Amino acid sequence: MRLLLVEDDQLIGTMVRLNLSQEGYEITWHKNGEDALVALKASRYDLILLDIGLPGRSGIETARAARNYGVGTPILMLTARDDVQSKVNALDAGADDYLTKPFDMAELLARVRAQIRRSQGTLEVPTDREVTLGEARVDLERRALQTAHGEWHELSDKEAALVRFLARNPGRALSRADILEEVWGMDASPTERTVDNFIVRLRRWVEPDPEQPRHILTVRGWGYRYEP
Ligand code: CA
């Protein structure tokens, strides 16, 4: 098991590395987000332990950048602040779990094991099977969507087709007619309102705030545009 540790604090980093190595994990340790992103693009890890308070790019920004790049590796965020907003920010940025400092090594190890257990089976998914849509990860073969908060939702055939169509056309204004043709094809006779209803549902899963969409944008009088 290969773990990427991103922590600028020498003492905490040393402790975490020591304890995890003793458990048999192979640790790569970087002290800032830039180096961590380079490592993530170059190599595959089973888990990322990411400190929020980093010099330069914060842990939140690093997590978001990693997810935008398509990194699906579970992220366990380490935060020095025990307030709700910090936790919400961490989860919204794509973290799977968080741990507040100072933490107990036994708890860290338990959470590392839990994250790795949960992600096993989805990590080896080839890229054409797994797509990222906004904050969500979608396994198209299993027709399952995982939100940024780790909840899974099963997708209908039509929902999966809509996810695939949006994810494969980033930045393009897609008309409702385009979407109807691609997703529903010759099936029955759905109305353009059907498209809107599907989009409303998807937004609840892929947007940090469905009322203020950042990923599935409305193109007035036309349709929708997906922005990763
Ligand atoms: Ca720090």
Side-chain angles (χ1 to χ4, degrees):
M1 286 292 155
R2 305 184 64 221
L3 270 57
L4 179 64
L5 169 65
V6 194
E7 170 63 81
D8 61 313
D9 185 294
Q10 189 67 32
L11 186 63
I12 295 175
T14 304
M15 287 283 292
V16 169
R17 182 168 65 179
L18 178 68
N19 279 272
L20 288 168
S21 315
Q22 282 171 352
E23 295 294 311
Y25 297 103
E26 187 187 320
I27 316 293
T28 303
W29 180 8
H30 287 296
K31 295 177 182 175
N32 64 66
E34 316 299 330
D35 291 347
L37 286 170
V38 171
L40 282 168
K41 287 172 186 176
S43 189
R44 203 189 66 80
Y45 296 90
D46 297 291
L47 180 73
I48 305 165
L49 282 167
L50 182 57
D51 181 31
I52 288 189
L54 293 170
R57 194 194 282 262
S58 75
I60 299 280
E61 289 161 353
T62 303
R64 194 168 285 132
R67 290 292 184 243
N68 286 342
Y69 189 72
V71 173
T73 310
I75 298 176
L76 176 53
M77 208 79 113
L78 306 175
T79 168
R81 293 174 56 198
D82 190 16
D83 62 84
V84 171
Q85 194 54 46
S86 302
K87 293 167 185 174
V88 168
N89 290 345
L91 294 172
D92 280 350
D96 297 271
D97 196 6
Y98 54 80
L99 201 52
T100 307
K101 296 177 185 176
F103 49 79
D104 189 270
M105 275 302 156
E107 185 178 5
L108 174 70
L109 292 173
R111 287 187 190 236
V112 165
R113 283 195 299 271
Q115 281 305 322
I116 288 176
R117 212 164 41 229
R118 270 173 59 186
S119 67
Q120 268 170 358
T122 59
L123 280 175
E124 300 296 341
V125 172
T127 49
D128 58 343
R129 180 178 157 183
E130 182 169 314
V131 298
T132 303
L133 191 73
E135 312 286 314
R137 282 187 282 161
V138 183
D139 183 337
L140 289 169
E141 205 160 292
R142 285 176 53 210
R143 293 212 322 256
L145 176 149
Q146 188 179 29
T147 67
H149 303 276
E151 307 155 0
W152 285 97
H153 296 280
E154 277 188 29
L155 300 177
S156 68
D157 284 339
K158 303 292 182 228
E159 286 165 346
L162 178 57
V163 165
R164 189 184 290 117
F165 190 44
L166 291 172
R168 294 198 174 151
N169 289 283
R172 262 187 68 193
L174 305 168
S175 71
R176 288 185 178 79
D178 288 335
I179 296 172
L180 279 173
E181 193 186 344
E182 173 72 21
V183 176
W184 279 268
M186 304 304 283
D187 265 11
S189 51
T191 64
E192 298 197 334
R193 185 71 201 140
T194 310
V195 175
D196 298 335
N197 291 337
F198 270 68
I199 294 285
V200 166
R201 190 155 54 236
L202 265 190
R203 277 177 175 157
R204 284 210 293 265
W205 297 334
V206 311
E207 297 283 358
D209 177 3
E211 302 299 321
Q212 314 242 310
R214 294 204 314 234
H215 300 293
I216 304 176
L217 307 178
T218 301
V219 182
R220 198 178 288 250
W222 181 255
Y224 297 93
R225 190 176 78 243
Y226 171 58
E227 292 295 340

